[in-house]
Amino acid sequence: MTYSTHSRAPDYSIVVPTYRRRDSLARCLQAIEALRFPRDRFEVVIVDDGSPSPPADLVASLDPSIQARLVTTRHAGPATARNTGARLAQGRYLVFTDDDCMPDEDWLWSIDRWTSSDSGAFAIGGHTENVLTDNVYAAASQGIIDYLYEYFGDNSATRRFFTSNNLVVPREDFLSLGGFNETFALAAAEDRDFCERWLEAGNRLQYANDVIVQHAHVLDFVRFNRQHFNYGRGAFDLHRSRAQRGGSSVEIEPLRFYGGLVAYPLRAPRRGRAVFLMFLHLWSQVAYAAGYFLERLRRGWAIRTTKPAPTAGAAARTDDGSMRGAA
């Protein structure tokens, strides 16, 4: 079912997957409604991933000047929901965010400056800020992402990735690459897989620290542990995808990677809780490893490799700018 409040061809299509998080979605839509950007240049595609009560009333309550539609699907996970929204979108660029994110009011203006400043196929990864500053688990989760952005931006360009809660991609290039991999068993690592395939296709990734969304992901220790355990489970699908593309399925990062990850909270302004954050950064890797090896044992230890034929011009490219200090 599709519910639409408007119909016009825009430049940008904001795609928001949602599932059983009505209050979070309401805050997300309020932030989108407050965007300082011409209304005729963007649309909003909300894809409800099989919630018992689709949020049609929230979409209907948006200002009528905003081009908005609600698409309801059977429950199949956020990768499928994002792909569904991308196929139905009308904009030249897909702008992905999540239902627990609130874009800054100049979000689309910042994106527009980037898309107008260069040519060619490049995806933009924005900066995500944890709005729950007093929640140490949310702070640790965001700190880990900040560190990974910085580390892979500086040291391993072919492993650079952007999370799907603040990602901009040209629609036609996104669709021609097949979008997010819907075979991934969990809502984990499909954004990393997409970015790796994007680079392998000869496209660029551009970090943009002025493209900002506020993230409100409520976590406690149990949820934090489950989050990183599931990231580990998702890594099995990522490694299998790498192997099927003819690459090395598993690469262990050097010790300096783990040392930097654990020590990263020492660079944060609130040093008083740094020790506990360091513990959480370390614990995230324990949970990640446990999830990965459990998934590998459950689904078969061997990862079959099918090497594709080499493609001309598929050398990975990335921007040369360092992301140091992005957090």
Side-chain angles (χ1 to χ4, degrees), residues 256-268:
R256 64 186 173 87
F257 166 82
Y258 299 99
L261 175 65
V262 174
Y264 190 76
L266 292 173
R267 297 160 54 182

Side-chain angles (χ1 to χ4, degrees), residues 193-241:
D193 175 75
F194 173 78
C195 289
E196 289 182 11
R197 289 186 287 115
W198 180 261
L199 289 170
E200 289 169 6
N203 302 317
R204 292 182 297 130
L205 294 175
Q206 174 66 57
Y207 177 68
N209 63 359
D210 59 335
V211 176
I212 299 171
V213 299
Q214 305 288 333
H215 191 200
H217 191 178
V218 179
L219 294 171
D220 53 23
F221 182 74
V222 172
R223 291 176 178 175
F224 178 86
N225 187 69
R226 184 186 303 121
Q227 178 187 56
H228 291 277
F229 182 81
N230 285 337
Y231 287 165
R233 293 180 63 192
F236 176 84
D237 286 312
L238 175 63
H239 295 163
R240 185 175 59 177
S241 175

